[in-house]
Amino acid sequence: MRLSPRIAPQLVGLTVPFPGALYGAFRIARRMQSLHPRVATVLGGGYVNSELRDLGEARVFDTFD
């Protein structure tokens, strides 16, 4: 995945509205990090805001900023 020279995002936001989308969000974020390490990745959405509010696993921040 190549980014156009005209398009240089600094941030990529991924929405996880339900649990089934969480794995895909991790895969996308890791791929973005491997291709464009300077682009920050953030995680949000209904599932994240409600069910992952009390996050006990710090390794999530290895993938998301």
Side-chain angles (χ1 to χ4, degrees), residues 15-28 43 47:
T15 300
V16 179
F18 50 88
L22 187 60
Y23 178 73
F26 271 91
R27 294 284 310 262
I28 292 167
L43 187 64
Y47 180 69

Side-chain angles (χ1 to χ4, degrees), residues 31-50:
R31 182 74 172 154
M32 283 298 300
Q33 287 176 341
S34 70
L35 295 174
H36 306 285
R38 293 186 178 165
V39 175
T41 55
V42 295
L43 187 64
Y47 180 69
V48 173
N49 292 334
S50 61

